[in-house]
Amino acid sequence: MKKEFSPAGIWEFLKSPVTIISHRSVDVDGVACMLAFALELEKRGVKSQLIAPSDISRAGETLAKNLGFKIAVDAKPTGNSTLVLDVLASHQLEPYKLEDLPKPLVVVDHHYYNPEWKPTDIYYFFERPSCAEILLDFFKPDKK
């Protein structure tokens, strides 16, 4: 049986380095979340690896580049934990499979509650128009 966790409890599950991943053709919402979480983890002394399955939208790639980040496409996950952001269902992570991602596995999403995520260690669902709006439940992003 899974224990219920508050957003503040996420940090105890994210072990350095953290693999941060979003969906195929990751859009600005997904990229913004990836970058904001990477920056927050860095402030906490935790390294991260940013990866995207298949490709990144042009706008998402521009955002990452303008902020000095590189998101690797189809890279091997090498972290000690995984943070999945803005992903409705696991098929959006292909070619990656949940069982091959570093554990613990934490999912944060805004689309709608998806019971498919039950095998994850932590699943946070927040009913919001975008995943980026969820950031405020976890931390206060700085201006960058």
Side-chain angles (χ1 to χ4, degrees):
M1 184 167 109
K2 287 190 185 172
K3 182 177 155 188
E4 290 297 317
F5 294 93
S6 72
I10 192 174
W11 309 110
E12 70 186 79
F13 287 90
L14 299 176
K15 309 296 181 201
S16 189
V18 177
T19 295
I20 301 175
I21 187 170
S22 193
H23 55 83
R24 288 187 309 245
S25 300
V26 62
D27 56 14
V28 171
D29 187 29
V31 169
C33 288
M34 292 172 77
L35 302 183
F37 268 100
L39 286 167
E40 182 64 21
L41 286 165
E42 186 178 290
K43 284 186 208 172
R44 295 168 183 258
V46 177
K47 294 181 182 197
S48 60
Q49 170 198 30
L50 304 175
I51 60 176
S54 304
D55 60 346
I56 306 166
S57 70
R58 182 174 291 163
E61 195 165 5
T62 299
L63 175 63
K65 184 179 177 182
N66 287 344
L67 293 176
F69 282 88
K70 173 74 176 141
I71 300 173
V73 176
D74 292 335
K76 180 179 172 35
T78 60
N80 290 314
S81 59
T82 303
L83 178 59
V84 178
L85 298 169
D86 194 32
V87 176
L88 171 63
S90 64
H91 74 273
Q92 293 179 298
L93 295 171
E94 291 174 357
Y96 303 103
K97 296 187 181 328
L98 291 182
E99 57 269 14
D100 298 332
L101 294 172
K103 307 297 185 281
L105 183 64
V106 178
V107 176
V108 176
D109 189 42
H110 72 102
H111 293 96
Y112 62 79
Y113 176 76
N114 186 346
E116 174 190 351
W117 292 115
K118 285 188 186 208
T120 62
D121 293 288
I122 305 293
Y123 172 56
Y124 291 104
F125 165 72
F126 299 86
E127 194 170 331
R128 305 275 166 68
S130 70
C131 199
E133 292 176 68
I134 295 169
L135 298 176
L136 298 174
D137 291 302
F138 292 94
F139 57 93
K140 184 178 179 188
D142 61 25
K143 289 184 180 188
K144 186 175 181 181

